[in-house]
Amino acid sequence: MKSLVVLGLIFLSAMANANTLVSEQVVTLPVDLSTAGIRLSKAGYSAPTVKVLIPELAAVTVLNHRNEGETAPCLATFQAILVEEVVQGKPEVLQVPVSIKLEKIFGVIEDENGQNICQVRLMETVTASIRGFDFSHVRFGDLPSRHVDDCK
């Protein structure tokens, strides 16, 4: 429980301090809107969610966008309830522009010994518009902590 509280405080503290854009790019990737590439799945979410699996996403991202239990990295939409809303009776492979934004989030926190340290996280946001639906996926990755002066 203590570790969850510490992680939550790290995240909130870091978010309140500073974000730095590390990279931003748009790549065109194949998105399969057949039964192999789109699904309604609860893997990684609290309720069933419409997702597209994009295996090629792994090669162009820094963090892991594969939800546990899925066969490839994925993006999800909360604008559709059913897979067919996105497929629209036309299962095919589309070439889709995918935006990938990587940010560094850092802030001063107190460690378990009461010492101030600089906590650094990466946040990678992947977004795409597919047949009028906004799909996205966000991942965070913690980096080793630094001396407090590195956050200035």
Side-chain angles (χ1 to χ4, degrees), residues 38-78:
I38 187 167
R39 64 188 64 196
L40 185 65
S41 170
K42 190 175 174 181
Y45 295 91
S46 60
T49 304
V50 176
K51 300 187 219 178
V52 290
L53 303 180
I54 308 174
E56 293 79 5
L57 197 56
V60 294
T61 54
V62 172
L63 300 177
N64 180 8
H65 291 272
R66 180 188 303 244
N67 287 345
E68 188 173 323
E70 293 294 3
T71 59
C74 62
L75 302 180
T77 185
F78 301 100

Short mmCIF file of all heavy atoms in Angstrom, two decimals, residues 38-78:
data_model
loop_
_atom_site.label_atom_id
_atom_site.label_comp_id
_atom_site.label_asym_id
_atom_site.label_seq_id
_atom_site.Cartn_x
_atom_site.Cartn_y
_atom_site.Cartn_z
N ILE A 38 -8.79 -5.80 -35.17
CA ILE A 38 -9.64 -4.94 -34.35
C ILE A 38 -10.49 -5.82 -33.46
O ILE A 38 -10.93 -6.90 -33.88
CB ILE A 38 -10.52 -3.99 -35.21
CG1 ILE A 38 -11.28 -2.98 -34.32
CG2 ILE A 38 -11.43 -4.76 -36.13
CD1 ILE A 38 -11.90 -1.84 -35.10
N ARG A 39 -10.68 -5.38 -32.25
CA ARG A 39 -11.44 -6.21 -31.30
C ARG A 39 -12.06 -5.40 -30.19
O ARG A 39 -11.67 -4.27 -29.94
CB ARG A 39 -10.55 -7.29 -30.71
CG ARG A 39 -9.41 -6.72 -29.87
CD ARG A 39 -8.43 -7.76 -29.44
NE ARG A 39 -7.81 -8.28 -30.63
CZ ARG A 39 -7.11 -9.39 -30.70
NH1 ARG A 39 -6.91 -10.10 -29.64
NH2 ARG A 39 -6.58 -9.81 -31.81
N LEU A 40 -13.00 -6.02 -29.53
CA LEU A 40 -13.58 -5.49 -28.30
C LEU A 40 -12.95 -6.30 -27.18
O LEU A 40 -13.14 -7.52 -27.11
CB LEU A 40 -15.11 -5.66 -28.31
CG LEU A 40 -15.87 -5.05 -27.14
CD1 LEU A 40 -15.73 -3.53 -27.14
CD2 LEU A 40 -17.34 -5.44 -27.20
N SER A 41 -12.16 -5.65 -26.35
CA SER A 41 -11.37 -6.38 -25.36
C SER A 41 -11.29 -5.59 -24.06
O SER A 41 -11.25 -4.36 -24.06
CB SER A 41 -9.96 -6.61 -25.90
OG SER A 41 -9.11 -7.10 -24.90
N LYS A 42 -11.23 -6.32 -22.97
CA LYS A 42 -11.08 -5.72 -21.65
C LYS A 42 -9.60 -5.68 -21.22
O LYS A 42 -9.27 -5.02 -20.25
CB LYS A 42 -11.91 -6.51 -20.64
CG LYS A 42 -12.02 -5.86 -19.29
CD LYS A 42 -12.94 -6.63 -18.37
CE LYS A 42 -12.91 -6.03 -16.99
NZ LYS A 42 -13.74 -6.73 -16.05
N ALA A 43 -8.72 -6.33 -21.97
CA ALA A 43 -7.30 -6.39 -21.61
C ALA A 43 -6.72 -4.99 -21.47
O ALA A 43 -6.70 -4.21 -22.41
CB ALA A 43 -6.52 -7.19 -22.65
N GLY A 44 -6.28 -4.65 -20.25
CA GLY A 44 -5.70 -3.35 -19.99
C GLY A 44 -6.69 -2.27 -19.61
O GLY A 44 -6.30 -1.14 -19.33
N TYR A 45 -7.98 -2.59 -19.60
CA TYR A 45 -9.02 -1.60 -19.29
C TYR A 45 -10.02 -2.20 -18.30
O TYR A 45 -10.12 -3.41 -18.16
CB TYR A 45 -9.74 -1.15 -20.57
CG TYR A 45 -8.82 -0.42 -21.51
CD1 TYR A 45 -8.11 -1.11 -22.49
CD2 TYR A 45 -8.64 0.94 -21.41
CE1 TYR A 45 -7.23 -0.44 -23.34
CE2 TYR A 45 -7.78 1.62 -22.25
CZ TYR A 45 -7.08 0.92 -23.22
OH TYR A 45 -6.21 1.58 -24.04
N SER A 46 -10.80 -1.34 -17.65
CA SER A 46 -11.77 -1.82 -16.67
C SER A 46 -13.05 -2.34 -17.32
O SER A 46 -13.82 -3.03 -16.68
CB SER A 46 -12.11 -0.70 -15.68
OG SER A 46 -12.65 0.41 -16.36
N ALA A 47 -13.28 -1.98 -18.58
CA ALA A 47 -14.47 -2.43 -19.30
C ALA A 47 -14.07 -2.77 -20.74
O ALA A 47 -13.04 -2.28 -21.22
CB ALA A 47 -15.53 -1.33 -19.30
N PRO A 48 -14.86 -3.57 -21.42
CA PRO A 48 -14.54 -3.87 -22.83
C PRO A 48 -14.41 -2.57 -23.64
O PRO A 48 -15.23 -1.67 -23.53
CB PRO A 48 -15.72 -4.71 -23.29
CG PRO A 48 -16.24 -5.34 -22.04
CD PRO A 48 -16.04 -4.29 -20.96
N THR A 49 -13.36 -2.51 -24.45
CA THR A 49 -13.01 -1.31 -25.21
C THR A 49 -12.68 -1.72 -26.64
O THR A 49 -12.04 -2.75 -26.86
CB THR A 49 -11.79 -0.62 -24.55
OG1 THR A 49 -12.11 -0.35 -23.19
CG2 THR A 49 -11.44 0.66 -25.24
N VAL A 50 -13.06 -0.90 -27.61
CA VAL A 50 -12.72 -1.16 -29.01
C VAL A 50 -11.25 -0.77 -29.21
O VAL A 50 -10.85 0.36 -28.92
CB VAL A 50 -13.63 -0.38 -29.98
CG1 VAL A 50 -13.18 -0.59 -31.42
CG2 VAL A 50 -15.08 -0.80 -29.80
N LYS A 51 -10.45 -1.72 -29.70
CA LYS A 51 -9.02 -1.51 -29.90
C LYS A 51 -8.61 -1.96 -31.28
O LYS A 51 -9.18 -2.90 -31.84
CB LYS A 51 -8.20 -2.35 -28.92
CG LYS A 51 -8.42 -2.08 -27.50
CD LYS A 51 -7.41 -2.89 -26.73
CE LYS A 51 -8.02 -3.45 -25.49
NZ LYS A 51 -7.08 -4.27 -24.75
N VAL A 52 -7.57 -1.30 -31.81
CA VAL A 52 -6.91 -1.78 -33.03
C VAL A 52 -5.50 -2.21 -32.64
O VAL A 52 -4.81 -1.51 -31.90
CB VAL A 52 -6.86 -0.71 -34.15
CG1 VAL A 52 -8.23 -0.46 -34.72
CG2 VAL A 52 -6.21 0.56 -33.69
N LEU A 53 -5.12 -3.38 -33.11
CA LEU A 53 -3.78 -3.89 -32.87
C LEU A 53 -2.89 -3.41 -34.02
O LEU A 53 -3.25 -3.56 -35.19
CB LEU A 53 -3.78 -5.41 -32.81
CG LEU A 53 -4.71 -6.03 -31.76
CD1 LEU A 53 -4.62 -7.54 -31.80
CD2 LEU A 53 -4.37 -5.51 -30.37
N ILE A 54 -1.73 -2.85 -33.67
CA ILE A 54 -0.81 -2.33 -34.68
C ILE A 54 0.59 -2.87 -34.36
O ILE A 54 1.36 -2.22 -33.63
CB ILE A 54 -0.81 -0.79 -34.71
CG1 ILE A 54 -2.24 -0.25 -34.84
CG2 ILE A 54 0.08 -0.27 -35.84
CD1 ILE A 54 -2.34 1.27 -34.74
N PRO A 55 0.94 -4.05 -34.88
CA PRO A 55 2.25 -4.63 -34.57
C PRO A 55 3.43 -3.71 -34.89
O PRO A 55 4.42 -3.67 -34.15
CB PRO A 55 2.30 -5.90 -35.43
CG PRO A 55 0.86 -6.23 -35.68
CD PRO A 55 0.14 -4.91 -35.74
N GLU A 56 3.34 -2.94 -35.98
CA GLU A 56 4.43 -2.06 -36.40
C GLU A 56 4.68 -0.92 -35.43
O GLU A 56 5.73 -0.26 -35.49
CB GLU A 56 4.14 -1.51 -37.80
CG GLU A 56 4.16 -2.55 -38.89
CD GLU A 56 2.86 -3.38 -38.97
OE1 GLU A 56 1.90 -3.09 -38.22
OE2 GLU A 56 2.83 -4.33 -39.76
N LEU A 57 3.76 -0.67 -34.52
CA LEU A 57 3.92 0.39 -33.53
C LEU A 57 5.13 0.13 -32.62
O LEU A 57 5.80 1.07 -32.19
CB LEU A 57 2.65 0.50 -32.69
CG LEU A 57 2.43 1.76 -31.88
CD1 LEU A 57 2.49 3.00 -32.74
CD2 LEU A 57 1.09 1.67 -31.16
N ALA A 58 5.44 -1.12 -32.38
CA ALA A 58 6.57 -1.46 -31.49
C ALA A 58 7.90 -0.92 -32.00
O ALA A 58 8.76 -0.52 -31.22
CB ALA A 58 6.65 -2.98 -31.32
N ALA A 59 8.07 -0.86 -33.31
CA ALA A 59 9.33 -0.41 -33.89
C ALA A 59 9.52 1.10 -33.85
O ALA A 59 10.65 1.58 -33.97
CB ALA A 59 9.44 -0.90 -35.34
N VAL A 60 8.44 1.86 -33.66
CA VAL A 60 8.55 3.32 -33.73
C VAL A 60 8.26 4.02 -32.41
O VAL A 60 8.25 5.26 -32.36
CB VAL A 60 7.64 3.89 -34.85
CG1 VAL A 60 8.13 3.44 -36.22
CG2 VAL A 60 6.19 3.51 -34.64
N THR A 61 8.02 3.26 -31.35
CA THR A 61 7.78 3.85 -30.03
C THR A 61 8.90 3.49 -29.08
O THR A 61 9.62 2.51 -29.28
CB THR A 61 6.43 3.39 -29.45
OG1 THR A 61 6.39 1.97 -29.45
CG2 THR A 61 5.26 3.94 -30.23
N VAL A 62 9.03 4.25 -28.00
CA VAL A 62 10.05 3.99 -26.99
C VAL A 62 9.48 3.07 -25.90
O VAL A 62 10.15 2.14 -25.45
CB VAL A 62 10.53 5.32 -26.35
CG1 VAL A 62 11.44 5.07 -25.16
CG2 VAL A 62 11.22 6.18 -27.40
N LEU A 63 8.24 3.31 -25.50
CA LEU A 63 7.63 2.52 -24.42
C LEU A 63 6.75 1.41 -24.99
O LEU A 63 6.40 1.41 -26.17
CB LEU A 63 6.82 3.45 -23.50
CG LEU A 63 7.65 4.56 -22.83
CD1 LEU A 63 6.76 5.45 -22.00
CD2 LEU A 63 8.78 3.98 -21.99
N ASN A 64 6.37 0.49 -24.14
CA ASN A 64 5.61 -0.69 -24.53
C ASN A 64 4.11 -0.37 -24.55
O ASN A 64 3.51 -0.16 -23.51
CB ASN A 64 5.89 -1.82 -23.54
CG ASN A 64 5.14 -3.08 -23.86
OD1 ASN A 64 4.50 -3.21 -24.90
ND2 ASN A 64 5.22 -4.04 -22.95
N HIS A 65 3.51 -0.37 -25.73
CA HIS A 65 2.08 -0.08 -25.87
C HIS A 65 1.25 -1.33 -26.08
O HIS A 65 0.13 -1.27 -26.56
CB HIS A 65 1.87 0.92 -27.02
CG HIS A 65 2.40 2.28 -26.68
ND1 HIS A 65 1.63 3.23 -26.04
CD2 HIS A 65 3.62 2.82 -26.84
CE1 HIS A 65 2.37 4.31 -25.83
NE2 HIS A 65 3.58 4.09 -26.30
N ARG A 66 1.78 -2.47 -25.67
CA ARG A 66 1.05 -3.75 -25.74
C ARG A 66 0.40 -3.98 -24.39
O ARG A 66 1.08 -4.11 -23.38
CB ARG A 66 2.01 -4.89 -26.06
CG ARG A 66 1.35 -6.25 -26.16
CD ARG A 66 2.39 -7.36 -26.28
NE ARG A 66 3.24 -7.15 -27.42
CZ ARG A 66 3.30 -7.96 -28.47
NH1 ARG A 66 2.56 -9.05 -28.50
NH2 ARG A 66 4.11 -7.71 -29.47
N ASN A 67 -0.93 -4.03 -24.36
CA ASN A 67 -1.62 -4.35 -23.11
C ASN A 67 -1.41 -5.82 -22.79
O ASN A 67 -1.34 -6.66 -23.70
CB ASN A 67 -3.11 -4.06 -23.22
CG ASN A 67 -3.43 -2.59 -23.22
OD1 ASN A 67 -2.59 -1.76 -22.88
ND2 ASN A 67 -4.63 -2.25 -23.62
N GLU A 68 -1.34 -6.13 -21.52
CA GLU A 68 -1.19 -7.52 -21.10
C GLU A 68 -2.34 -8.34 -21.69
O GLU A 68 -3.50 -7.95 -21.62
CB GLU A 68 -1.21 -7.62 -19.58
CG GLU A 68 -0.86 -8.99 -19.08
CD GLU A 68 -0.71 -9.04 -17.57
OE1 GLU A 68 -0.20 -8.06 -16.99
OE2 GLU A 68 -1.10 -10.07 -16.99
N GLY A 69 -1.99 -9.46 -22.31
CA GLY A 69 -3.00 -10.33 -22.90
C GLY A 69 -3.26 -10.07 -24.37
O GLY A 69 -3.97 -10.82 -25.02
N GLU A 70 -2.70 -8.99 -24.94
CA GLU A 70 -2.87 -8.70 -26.35
C GLU A 70 -1.69 -9.24 -27.15
O GLU A 70 -0.61 -9.45 -26.61
CB GLU A 70 -3.03 -7.19 -26.59
CG GLU A 70 -4.30 -6.61 -26.03
CD GLU A 70 -5.57 -7.11 -26.69
OE1 GLU A 70 -5.52 -7.98 -27.59
OE2 GLU A 70 -6.64 -6.64 -26.30
N THR A 71 -1.90 -9.42 -28.44
CA THR A 71 -0.85 -9.99 -29.29
C THR A 71 0.00 -8.94 -29.99
O THR A 71 0.94 -9.28 -30.70
CB THR A 71 -1.49 -10.91 -30.36
OG1 THR A 71 -2.40 -10.12 -31.15
CG2 THR A 71 -2.24 -12.06 -29.73
N ALA A 72 -0.30 -7.65 -29.80
CA ALA A 72 0.46 -6.57 -30.42
C ALA A 72 0.16 -5.27 -29.69
O ALA A 72 -0.83 -5.18 -28.96
CB ALA A 72 0.07 -6.44 -31.90
N PRO A 73 0.99 -4.24 -29.89
CA PRO A 73 0.66 -2.92 -29.35
C PRO A 73 -0.68 -2.46 -29.90
O PRO A 73 -1.07 -2.85 -31.01
CB PRO A 73 1.79 -2.02 -29.87
CG PRO A 73 2.91 -2.96 -30.17
CD PRO A 73 2.27 -4.23 -30.61
N CYS A 74 -1.38 -1.63 -29.14
CA CYS A 74 -2.73 -1.26 -29.57
C CYS A 74 -3.06 0.18 -29.22
O CYS A 74 -2.41 0.81 -28.39
CB CYS A 74 -3.76 -2.19 -28.95
SG CYS A 74 -3.81 -2.13 -27.15
N LEU A 75 -4.09 0.68 -29.89
CA LEU A 75 -4.71 1.96 -29.59
C LEU A 75 -6.18 1.69 -29.31
O LEU A 75 -6.76 0.77 -29.89
CB LEU A 75 -4.60 2.93 -30.77
CG LEU A 75 -3.21 3.26 -31.29
CD1 LEU A 75 -3.31 4.24 -32.46
CD2 LEU A 75 -2.33 3.83 -30.20
N ALA A 76 -6.79 2.48 -28.44
CA ALA A 76 -8.19 2.27 -28.08
C ALA A 76 -9.00 3.52 -28.35
O ALA A 76 -8.48 4.64 -28.36
CB ALA A 76 -8.29 1.92 -26.60
N THR A 77 -10.30 3.31 -28.58
CA THR A 77 -11.23 4.43 -28.71
C THR A 77 -12.35 4.24 -27.70
O THR A 77 -12.78 3.12 -27.43
CB THR A 77 -11.81 4.57 -30.13
OG1 THR A 77 -12.62 5.75 -30.15
CG2 THR A 77 -12.65 3.38 -30.55
N PHE A 78 -12.82 5.36 -27.18
CA PHE A 78 -13.96 5.34 -26.27
C PHE A 78 -15.17 5.97 -26.94
O PHE A 78 -16.19 6.21 -26.32
CB PHE A 78 -13.60 6.05 -24.96
CG PHE A 78 -12.42 5.40 -24.28
CD1 PHE A 78 -11.15 5.94 -24.39
CD2 PHE A 78 -12.59 4.22 -23.58
CE1 PHE A 78 -10.06 5.32 -23.80
CE2 PHE A 78 -11.49 3.59 -22.98
CZ PHE A 78 -10.23 4.14 -23.09
#
